[in-house]
Amino acid sequence: MACNYVDAGMITKMFLAGAQNLEAQKERINELNVFPVPDGDTGTNMTMTILSAAKEVAALENPDMESVAKAIASGSLRGARGNSGVILSQLFRGFTKGIKNYDKVTIPVFADAFTKAVETAYKAVMKPKEGTILTVARAGADKAVQLEEEGEEDLEVFFREVIEHMDYVLGQTTEMLPVLAQAGVVDSGGQGLVEILRGAYDAFLGKEIIYEPVTMGEPVAATVALDEADIKFGYCTEFIVMLQEAIGQKKIEGLKKYLESIGDSIVVVADEEVIKVHVHTNDPGLAIQRALRLGALSNMKIDNMRLEHQEKLFKASEKQEEQKPEERPELSGKKDVGFVAVSIGDGLGRIFRELGVDYIIEGGQTMNPSTEDILNAIERVNADTIFVLPNNKNIIMAANQAGALAKDKNVIVIPTVTVPQGITAIITYVPELSVSENENSMLEEINRVKTGQITYAVRDTSVNGKEIHQGDYMGIGEDGIIAVNTNMEQTIFATVESIVDEDTELLSFYYGEEISEEDGEVLKEKMENKYPNLDIELQSGGQPVYYYLISAE
């Protein structure tokens, strides 16, 4: 018997099953990423985005269509990470606009909702590119409208044909973008979207699917109330390592010993395929970098325990103020202009703080912060106007989304795509100038900064005609991979040569956590010999994964 509508209960089941299927396929989707860099990948970002919404949906006791739609839209919007996560959240936002006013969702309603989803997502992207998740989503909407116009009434047929068409168009993305063709892969974001719909379809067909978000267990040690001064290690860091190959007890003990050297409250549980890690540390990047040697990471969660402690005190203070409003103190220390920056590494954090950044979001290339992370940072800065420096092209959309959600504050996102651009932006700021004048000067100056990043390849691939093998050193510029070599120094020199031109006056090197100051000084001396007319600066960045961040100005 044909089914011609679904209710709020079925929409809930389908959404949660879609989230679960995406989570299950996450690492396979990560492998589709063209650039073989050890950073936050599409599958991870999309999964964290949808799981943020899934938690809100799963918490609904008696869901109706409006409450389900609100939970999906709000949860994904705030949990969005990376460009793929932001686009996914916009697809959900548009889709839920189409279904929220109906008790029963029929094929015409689905067709309209799919169309609204695509329209909303396309509007959110400044320069939409075909061959991406947007193309696959539009194919689904087009097929849905076609089936509706043809009079299709059976939802089972409708869902099956929409997904089959999306999967077909997904296969065509390999030829739509040259970079995908060279790597021989389909678009990772589009693959993620198809996996969500496949999971939803399975739930519609009645397959038994239990939504169980993967979470880390609580640490063995009991939780006790602490004064902030007693918090020796400020970041509660949790993640799962998906092992590349089976490892022995010696490597597991080596990981434990290393974690003990940088923190406490260590919990390491391993089997043949995964390692679950929990550690309190002052530098989550160190734990992440060490774990990346063993495999890909998933379910990463970093909480600032000092901020949580402060927030508890703040909430307690708010409660007291509500009880005695006449004794409520006036806000103090308010500024006209404040700064929020995304960065990771003690050295880079110190540089930003010294330059006047009010709030640093721990994250970046190795871990894209969510829209909510950025929004929380904005709300914590006591200023009328706040400049946000994403410092990564994969964070700009989430920053813009956070700015749109911020209340009673003028939020200006400076589209810095690298940390050196962020440093240049804040150096450019002049308090005596107006907000608009500062915005214009920042935008002008960051465009004069050329950046290179030195890291390593995590898998074999081919990008822009360059054959890359796992373990190779790579120099990455703003437009892609500049240099590949088995020798780090040769990679660095090739990268610098490509970003230096006749207008360059200053070369800055920020060395990462795996590079010693002595090695950095040796490199600086060699650069001074090769470029005697340039000023060469060397600073400790402390960033994970990237051996050097280089800027030419």
Side-chain angles (χ1 to χ4, degrees):
M1 181 176 175
C3 176
N4 57 15
Y5 76 88
V6 295
D7 58 15
M10 178 55 72
I11 288 288
T12 298
K13 290 179 181 178
M14 292 173 70
F15 182 76
L16 296 179
Q20 186 183 39
N21 194 51
L22 177 63
E23 206 281 334
Q25 301 294 329
K26 175 178 57 182
E27 294 305 326
R28 184 169 70 87
I29 295 167
N30 282 342
E31 288 298 316
L32 295 175
N33 279 270
V34 174
F35 280 11
V37 293
D39 58 17
D41 285 323
T42 301
T44 299
N45 285 335
M46 292 182 72
T47 297
M48 296 181 79
T49 299
I50 197 172
L51 288 183
S52 176
K55 289 177 182 178
E56 292 196 22
V57 172
L60 297 173
E61 293 185 2
N62 297 300
D64 56 22
M65 198 68 72
E66 185 175 4
S67 64
V68 173
K70 182 178 179 181
I72 293 172
S74 175
S76 61
L77 192 70
R78 291 176 173 272
R81 295 175 187 266
N83 292 342
S84 57
V86 172
I87 293 172
L88 181 63
S89 74
Q90 292 298 320
L91 288 169
F92 287 145
R93 180 169 169 248
F95 176 80
T96 54
K97 283 181 182 178
I99 68 169
K100 66 180 181 180
N101 295 322
Y102 296 88
D103 293 329
K104 297 179 179 180
V105 181
T106 59
I107 286 177
V109 176
F110 270 118
D112 179 61
F114 286 171
T115 300
K116 283 185 169 65
V118 172
E119 290 173 350
T120 304
Y122 266 88
K123 287 178 182 178
V125 181
M126 290 186 64
K127 295 180 180 179
K129 184 181 293 185
E130 296 308 323
T132 66
I133 183 175
L134 292 172
T135 304
V136 177
R138 192 181 68 239
D142 290 345
K143 187 65 175 181
V145 170
Q146 177 193 333
L147 291 168
E148 189 267 332
E149 291 176 347
E150 291 174 353
E152 181 60 58
E153 296 182 354
D154 189 343
L155 275 174
E156 181 176 345
V157 175
F158 175 80
F159 290 143
R160 184 181 69 247
E161 292 199 15
V162 166
I163 294 171
E164 286 178 353
H165 184 63
M166 291 175 68
D167 196 38
Y168 167 76
V169 173
L170 173 65
Q172 303 305 303
T173 61
T174 303
E175 304 304 322
M176 293 180 189
L177 287 174
V179 69
L180 295 178
Q182 289 182 11
V185 296
V186 298
D187 177 68
S188 55
Q191 184 72 63
L193 182 60
V194 169
E195 296 304 336
I196 293 170
L197 292 179
R198 281 178 175 153
Y201 182 50
D202 283 343
F204 173 79
L205 294 176
K207 294 184 180 180
E208 186 65 26
I209 300 172
I210 301 174
Y211 172 68
E212 295 180 350
V214 180
T215 58
M216 298 295 296
E218 292 296 320
V220 176
T223 303
V224 296
L226 294 174
D227 288 332
E228 189 176 342
D230 294 330
I231 302 176
K232 182 179 179 182
F233 298 102
Y235 294 95
C236 176
T237 305
E238 302 175 352
F239 53 80
I240 294 176
V241 186
M242 313 296 290
L243 295 175
Q244 296 172 340
E245 57 186 17
I247 62 174
Q249 188 63 29
K250 185 177 180 180
K251 285 191 176 181
I252 296 173
E253 291 301 323
L255 175 61
K256 287 182 180 178
K257 187 175 180 180
Y258 178 78
L259 294 175
E260 288 170 354
S261 72
I262 63 169
D264 62 13
S265 299
I266 314 294
V267 177
V268 176
V269 181
D271 62 19
E272 294 180 357
E273 297 180 350
V274 302
I275 302 176
K276 294 184 178 181
V277 175
H278 173 280
V279 59
H280 290 177
T281 178
N282 285 327
D283 194 335
L286 293 176
I288 290 170
Q289 172 67 12
R290 183 59 177 255
L292 280 169
R293 298 179 185 177
L294 302 178
L297 304 188
S298 69
N299 297 84
M300 291 184 289
K301 180 174 176 286
I302 299 176
D303 293 325
N304 187 325
M305 295 186 292
R306 294 189 180 97
L307 285 182
E308 289 180 346
H309 177 73
Q310 291 171 0
E311 188 171 352
K312 289 176 182 177
L313 294 179
F314 179 74
K315 288 181 178 178
S317 175
E318 275 190 323
K319 189 174 181 181
Q320 290 178 348
E321 289 170 10
E322 290 171 358
Q323 293 171 346
K324 297 182 180 181
E326 69 278 4
E327 297 179 10
R328 181 176 171 179
E330 293 298 319
L331 289 173
S332 61
K334 190 170 186 178
K335 305 165 60 178
D336 292 331
V337 176
F339 284 87
V340 169
V342 180
S343 180
I344 191 167
D346 289 341
L348 294 176
R350 174 184 51 77
I351 292 169
F352 276 118
R353 282 189 291 271
E354 289 175 352
L355 291 173
V357 169
D358 301 281
Y359 194 103
I360 295 174
I361 304 170
E362 195 79 10
Q365 191 74 4
T366 54
M367 183 181 61
N368 300 152
S370 68
T371 296
E372 188 165 31
D373 291 335
I374 301 171
L375 179 61
N376 288 341
I378 290 169
E379 291 175 346
R380 287 181 181 276
V381 178
N382 193 12
D384 293 322
T385 295
I386 297 172
F387 286 98
V388 178
L389 308 175
N391 300 332
N392 186 286
K393 65 181 180 181
N394 208 33
I395 300 174
I396 293 173
M397 288 184 70
N400 286 329
Q401 196 156 267
L405 292 172
K407 297 178 180 178
D408 303 322
K409 292 186 179 182
N410 178 31
V411 179
I412 300 173
V413 177
I414 303 298
T416 51
V417 299
T418 62
V419 166
Q421 281 193 351
I423 292 172
T424 295
I426 194 166
I427 289 175
T428 303
Y429 176 75
V430 178
E432 290 75 21
L433 297 179
S434 68
V435 169
S436 60
E437 287 173 327
N438 271 301
E439 179 182 5
N440 290 334
S441 62
M442 287 181 195
L443 292 173
E444 183 178 345
E445 289 301 318
I446 65 173
N447 287 326
R448 296 178 181 175
V449 180
K450 295 183 178 179
T451 306
Q453 303 175 88
I454 308 301
T455 186
Y456 61 94
V458 295
R459 60 180 176 272
D460 295 350
T461 189
S462 175
V463 179
N464 295 332
K466 292 181 172 63
E467 289 296 325
I468 302 169
H469 301 284
Q470 183 177 350
D472 283 352
Y473 294 103
M474 298 185 299
I476 301 174
E478 287 145 35
D479 296 324
I481 296 175
I482 297 171
V484 179
N485 202 294
T486 55
N487 181 280
M488 184 193 295
E489 186 175 293
Q490 291 181 25
T491 305
I492 295 170
F493 272 91
T495 301
V496 170
E497 186 173 349
S498 72
I499 64 175
V500 168
D501 58 29
E502 59 184 13
D503 296 323
T504 302
E505 298 175 352
L506 171 67
L507 266 178
S508 299
F509 293 83
Y510 304 89
Y511 59 89
E513 63 182 9
E514 290 198 7
I515 302 296
S516 67
E517 183 178 1
E518 292 75 18
D519 288 341
E521 291 290 350
V522 170
L523 176 65
K524 179 185 176 184
E525 183 177 349
K526 291 180 179 179
M527 285 293 169
E528 288 172 337
N529 291 333
K530 183 173 177 61
Y531 299 100
N533 296 324
L534 299 182
D535 291 329
I536 312 290
E537 287 188 355
L538 175 72
Q539 298 196 58
S540 170
Q543 70 274 2
V545 179
Y546 289 80
Y547 302 112
Y548 286 96
L549 302 181
I550 310 165
S551 69
E553 303 175 57

